[in-house]
Amino acid sequence: SGAEIACHGSYDAATDARELAADQQAAGAVEAGATSGNRFHYLRWEPTSTPQLLAAAGIGYDSTLGFAEHFGFRNSYCLPFYPFDFARQTTHEFLEIPLVVMDTTLHHPAYLQLSADELVPALEPVFAEIKKFGGVASMLWHNQNFSPANTRNGPAQFHQLMTHLQQLGARFYTGAQLTQEIKNDQ
């Protein structure tokens, strides 16, 4: 139906090429000529092996590099970038789209525990920085949080955040669309 399907790599897939391949296959995220994306479960990233696995798997973009504990810029950077490959002394060919905020971060008892009315005010400074630099506000909103019964980080709060981003003049892309736009600009 035109929707993008990407891989949500399992915990072990961040360090195991066979697991990543199995996850890609299970998601149907491997198609000839298609840009396949990825985000690892628990935002797992091993700097010495994960980038090489993504590159070898032909991943077009990844959106794992973010924080579970708080929102913001894990790489001090709000723009997509090509991670550096230290072994080859050049950049990898997959695009990293930094994850800015995850729904669980906002309400989980181990994390920020924000109330529903605190979400937009808490994120406004981050969104202002993104706008200032023409960056990307990649957000992870788990499907189970779209239940109308969820009043902390559910559909109403997601709608408030999307409305706020629209008011800031944000454009909305899938990972594949953003990757293609960046490639076209190079």
Side-chain angles (χ1 to χ4, degrees):
S1 66
E4 179 182 347
I5 297 175
C7 183
H8 184 35
S10 60
Y11 185 80
D12 289 332
T15 58
D16 185 326
R18 288 180 303 220
E19 286 285 328
L20 181 56
D23 290 346
Q24 283 182 287
Q25 190 68 35
V30 181
E31 297 177 23
T35 300
S36 74
N38 179 72
R39 179 181 294 120
F40 286 109
H41 197 56
Y42 289 109
L43 306 180
R44 185 160 185 228
W45 184 274
E46 297 297 331
T48 60
S49 60
T50 302
Q52 289 75 17
L53 288 175
L54 290 169
I59 297 290
Y61 71 89
D62 177 75
S63 190
T64 299
L65 292 179
F67 293 113
E69 302 84 10
H70 56 86
F71 49 83
F73 313 117
R74 181 170 169 180
N75 297 286
S76 303
Y77 199 60
C78 66
L79 293 166
F81 62 95
Y82 293 95
F84 194 73
D85 181 344
F86 291 96
R88 295 184 313 130
Q89 292 295 299
T90 188
T91 57
H92 283 289
E93 293 181 16
F94 70 89
L95 186 68
E96 184 60 35
I97 303 171
L99 178 63
V100 175
V101 63
M102 179 172 64
D103 56 358
T104 307
T105 302
L106 303 172
H107 82 91
H108 194 276
Y111 301 141
L112 297 179
Q113 303 176 38
L114 298 175
S115 66
D117 61 339
E118 294 175 307
L119 300 187
V120 171
L123 291 167
E124 280 178 334
V126 173
F127 292 153
E129 281 294 294
I130 292 168
K131 182 175 180 171
K132 177 180 174 182
F133 292 102
V136 173
S138 178
M139 297 174 53
L140 169 53
W141 218 266
H142 291 87
N143 57 336
Q144 71 267 20
N145 289 328
F146 282 103
S147 166
N150 181 344
T151 59
R152 295 206 60 172
N153 67 341
Q157 292 72 38
F158 181 79
H159 184 265
Q160 288 171 347
L161 289 169
M162 294 299 105
T163 299
H164 181 74
L165 289 170
Q166 284 177 322
Q167 291 168 349
L168 291 174
R171 294 178 291 165
F172 295 86
Y173 295 95
T174 66
Q177 289 169 333
L178 180 60
T179 301
Q180 188 60 52
E181 174 131 337
I182 289 171
K183 286 182 179 185
N184 290 344
D185 287 346
Q186 292 177 340

